[in-house]
Amino acid sequence: MQAPTAAELLGAWERSAALGPAEREDALLELVLPDEPARLPVGERDARLLELRELLFGGQLDGLAECSDCGEPVEYRVPTGALRAEQPRGVNGDGLALSTSGYELRFRLPTGGDLAAAASGGDLEGARLALLERCVLSATADGREEAPARLPPEVVAELAERLAQVDPLADASLALTCPACGNGWTVALDIGAWLWSEVESWAWCTLLDVHALASAYGWSEAEILALGPRRELYLEFLNG
């Protein structure tokens, strides 16, 4: 994977700022992946987002969470390489099977496209049903076909657990401990949202830099973005 140029990244940010989360992530991944990102299983997709994040902003995620018990702010640092290592390589996302509570299921791993389609359902229940209908390929009980939307809650819960085992990065979370009160809890890690937030912050800072240098030197945006690390030196000259 090769890092996109500043102009490419800025263009992807501008084109996708008004889109939903899955579509924004697709726009970023399309900069570095030849194949359609929406077809990747969610965990594989998040692993690629982490790899892109390493290229753009480095290999450490520095975050801040509030203790769920005493409210104390807790800082944490997570190496992105450690997160990517949790994702099994070469996982076949199609034709998986589960036998539970008298039901026989064949299913596939959800993809980014599935998440985008489910998000258009309008509410959590609609999203859940949409994912079941898209990802459960067949369901039988005592030899009878069952509609995915009619699966009992315990079967759906077993399916969710199986998905988490096969595709662990799809629902990443961090275990934290509060140094003040000793409380332990977990926080969800939305890799796509994290990266998009960083890209958006970078984009606004870059636009401000372009404005300052264009005003001072009369250069075009393309010329300024092509400067690379030298851009920081010119900004220091202006501010010094």
Side-chain angles (χ1 to χ4, degrees):
M1 184 181 289
Q2 184 174 350
T5 66
E8 290 171 337
L9 187 58
L10 197 59
W13 167 77
E14 184 178 20
R15 290 191 303 272
S16 54
L19 301 179
E23 291 85 357
R24 291 198 301 253
E25 294 162 16
D26 282 346
L28 296 178
L29 287 174
E30 284 168 358
L31 296 174
V32 292
L33 293 180
D35 298 325
E36 187 178 353
R39 300 177 63 179
L40 291 175
V42 175
E44 179 70 14
R45 173 191 181 87
D46 283 353
R48 295 293 172 258
L49 287 169
L50 281 170
E51 190 174 354
L52 176 58
R53 199 274 177 187
E54 292 169 2
L55 291 173
L56 295 174
F57 305 115
Q60 299 285 349
L61 300 179
D62 293 315
L64 184 68
E66 186 177 282
C67 175
S68 61
D69 195 6
C70 71
E72 182 76 11
V74 177
E75 296 180 352
Y76 60 88
R77 169 170 288 187
V78 184
T80 55
L83 291 171
R84 287 199 293 115
E86 295 178 4
Q87 184 66 17
R89 292 187 177 273
V91 174
N92 183 2
D94 298 323
L96 300 170
L98 174 66
S99 179
T100 181
S101 301
Y103 285 79
E104 301 292 332
L105 306 182
R106 287 185 61 253
F107 63 96
R108 62 172 177 80
L109 296 177
T111 66
D114 294 325
L115 295 185
S120 64
D123 56 35
L124 288 176
E125 181 61 18
R128 184 185 72 86
L129 290 177
L131 282 176
L132 283 174
E133 290 171 352
R134 293 174 71 92
C135 297
V136 175
L137 305 177
S138 67
T140 59
D142 298 325
R144 301 187 310 273
E145 290 286 338
E146 295 285 347
R150 296 176 61 85
L151 291 174
E154 63 271 18
V155 174
V156 175
E158 286 290 337
L159 176 59
E161 184 174 340
R162 176 66 173 148
L163 287 171
Q165 292 171 351
V166 177
D167 202 18
L169 197 53
D171 190 21
S173 61
L174 303 175
L176 302 178
T177 301
C178 177
C181 70
N183 174 52
W185 81 105
T186 60
V187 294
L189 178 59
D190 188 334
I191 297 161
W194 189 305
L195 177 58
W196 179 258
S197 176
E198 291 180 316
V199 168
E200 191 160 43
S201 177
W202 169 88
W204 282 109
C205 290
T206 299
L207 290 176
L208 290 173
D209 291 350
V210 168
H211 172 72
L213 292 174
S215 299
Y217 297 105
W219 298 331
S220 69
E221 180 183 88
E223 290 172 327
I224 294 169
L225 293 177
L227 288 173
R230 284 182 294 161
R231 186 166 74 237
E232 298 298 324
L233 293 175
Y234 284 111
L235 288 168
E236 287 183 17
F237 298 155
L238 286 181
N239 297 326

